[in-house]
């Protein structure tokens, strides 16, 4: 492989982390995904198995034109391990951090990885936080960059790559090659608030929430409007998949950096305060049961 990456470590097995681990294992990388408890890991692995089962079903229904075969599913699972032991990460060629979208939490994790002795490529799946600031916590900023995957990771074709101020050319080239090897289309962005995707997309999502808040449309009708524009998923459903709490955190970063036009609507704040996070816990703008 052009990147010379063989072993991939993913930290966090939530919606994003499980998707990243699944994609890496599907593409033949030896993959280990680490989280804090065996219960969290089991839930995440269950999510991966369910995702693979849906792809197998798609393969069967389409007579092999889409999805994956049972053999491919088993091969993917054979490349994937889950562990609560962070020492497993030291043997990896690259680590992808996919924990909660909170700068303090990410910086603490990144500093702890450096203290353990990890000194190879480290990427953050952050969707809004400065890569340069996170790289400072690593202490090896030349080996740090951003890989912002889109949700759901196994389905979305793109991955936003963000270069920090001190990211080296060698790191940039290796991570770009790795992105291609994962089967993702690299989307290059500068290290500025919200990067490119969320700087454009979050105002759109916030306006969709306002449309619901003001009673202009129902959730279902707001979703239909963008299906007419060729989007595969409407904005309200997208919010539930991304996570209402995650979207609110991104909006807060953008508001702080770019001004009040990114202020989150009161309805979004209330839903998050009430524990409505989206698909990840079964309740957001919609209630999610059995997928």
């Amino acid at each position: 492989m052009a990147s010379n990456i063989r072993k991939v470590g993913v930290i966090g097995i939530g919606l994003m982390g499980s998707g990243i681990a699944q994609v890496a294992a599907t593409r033949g990388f030896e993959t280990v995904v680490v989280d804090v408890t065996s219960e969290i890991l089991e839930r995440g692995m269950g999510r991966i198995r369910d995702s693979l089962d849906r792809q197998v079903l798609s393969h069967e229904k389409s007579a092999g034109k889409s999805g994956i075969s049972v053999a491919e599913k088993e091969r993917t699972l054979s490349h994937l391990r889950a562990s609560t032991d962070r020492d497993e990460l030291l043997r990896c060629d690259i680590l992808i951090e996919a924990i909660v979208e909170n700068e303090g939490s990410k910086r603490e994790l990144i500093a702890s990885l450096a203290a353990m002795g990890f000194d190879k490529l480290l990427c953050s799946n952050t969707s809004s936080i400065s890569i340069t600031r996170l790289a400072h916590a690593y202490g090896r900023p030349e080996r740090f960059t951003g890989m912002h995957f889109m949700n759901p990771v196994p389905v979305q074709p793109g991955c936003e790559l963000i270069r920090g101020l001190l990211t080296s050319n060698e790191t940039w080239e290796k991570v770009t090659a790795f992105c291609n090897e994962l089967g993702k289309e690299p989307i290059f962005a500068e290290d500025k608030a919200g990067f490119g995707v969320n700087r454009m997309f979050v105002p759109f999502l916030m306006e969709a929430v306002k449309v619901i808040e003001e009673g202009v449309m129902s959730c279902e009708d707001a979703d239909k409007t963008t299906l007419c524009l060729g989007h595969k998923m409407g904005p309200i459903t997208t919010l539930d998949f991304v996570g209402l709490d995650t979207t609110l955190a991104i909006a807060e970063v953008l508001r702080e950096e770019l001004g009040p036009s990114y202020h989150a609507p009161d309805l979004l704040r209330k839903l998050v305060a009430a524990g409505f996070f989206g698909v990840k816990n079964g309740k957001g703008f919609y209630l999610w049961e059995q997928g």
Side-chain angles (χ1 to χ4, degrees), residues 40-93:
I40 292 173
L41 287 170
E42 187 51 44
R43 283 201 302 271
M45 289 300 294
R47 189 181 298 116
I48 291 172
R49 293 188 190 97
D50 288 345
S51 174
L52 292 171
D53 285 340
R54 287 194 295 271
Q55 292 189 46
V56 169
L57 185 61
S58 174
H59 188 267
E60 292 170 351
K61 286 184 174 180
S62 66
K65 293 180 181 178
S66 63
I68 61 174
S69 67
V70 173
E72 288 173 305
K73 170 194 166 183
E74 295 303 324
R75 188 160 53 248
T76 294
L77 291 173
S78 73
H79 290 306
L80 181 59
R81 288 184 303 108
S83 176
T84 57
D85 184 5
R86 282 193 186 177
D87 285 342
E88 296 253 13
L89 300 171
L90 295 176
R91 294 188 286 274
C92 295
D93 301 313

Side-chain angles (χ1 to χ4, degrees), residues 90-104:
L90 295 176
R91 294 188 286 274
C92 295
D93 301 313
I94 188 170
L95 298 185
I96 303 170
E97 168 275 308
I99 66 168
V100 62
E101 187 70 358
N102 175 276
E103 182 167 349

Side-chain angles (χ1 to χ4, degrees), residues 192-195 199 252-262:
K192 297 180 180 178
F195 315 133
R199 181 161 179 176
E252 288 294 287
V253 170
L254 289 168
R255 182 191 59 78
E256 186 175 329
E257 296 280 347
L258 299 173
S261 60
Y262 288 88

Side-chain angles (χ1 to χ4, degrees), residues 99-106 126-130 133 193-194 198 202 205-206 239 242-258 262-265 268-269 272-273 276-277 280:
I99 66 168
V100 62
E101 187 70 358
N102 175 276
E103 182 167 349
S105 299
K106 288 183 184 295
T126 179
S127 44
S128 61
I129 300 166
S130 167
R133 291 202 303 267
N198 278 320
V202 167
L205 295 178
M206 296 302 98
L239 277 160
V242 171
L244 275 61
D245 54 334
T246 300
T247 306
L248 178 59
I250 296 167
E252 288 294 287
V253 170
L254 289 168
R255 182 191 59 78
E256 186 175 329
E257 296 280 347
L258 299 173
Y262 288 88
H263 184 76
L268 180 62
R269 295 177 182 279
V272 171
F276 286 69
F277 299 154
K280 68 178 74 175

Side-chain angles (χ1 to χ4, degrees), residues 72-170:
E72 288 173 305
K73 170 194 166 183
E74 295 303 324
R75 188 160 53 248
T76 294
L77 291 173
S78 73
H79 290 306
L80 181 59
R81 288 184 303 108
S83 176
T84 57
D85 184 5
R86 282 193 186 177
D87 285 342
E88 296 253 13
L89 300 171
L90 295 176
R91 294 188 286 274
C92 295
D93 301 313
I94 188 170
L95 298 185
I96 303 170
E97 168 275 308
I99 66 168
V100 62
E101 187 70 358
N102 175 276
E103 182 167 349
S105 299
K106 288 183 184 295
R107 287 173 64 90
E108 183 179 343
L109 170 65
I110 291 163
S112 72
L113 293 170
M116 286 169 52
F118 185 80
D119 60 359
K120 288 170 276 189
L121 293 179
L122 179 54
C123 301
S124 175
N125 181 54
T126 179
S127 44
S128 61
I129 300 166
S130 167
I131 297 302
T132 300
R133 291 202 303 267
L134 293 179
H136 181 71
Y138 188 33
R140 299 170 180 83
E142 71 281 0
R143 298 178 190 172
F144 193 94
T145 191
M147 288 191 83
H148 173 211
F149 291 85
M150 310 298 154
N151 192 31
V153 182
V155 175
Q156 296 287 5
C159 179
E160 193 173 31
L161 301 183
I162 308 99
R163 183 172 185 163
L165 181 65
L166 298 177
T167 304
S168 71
N169 289 336
E170 180 184 4

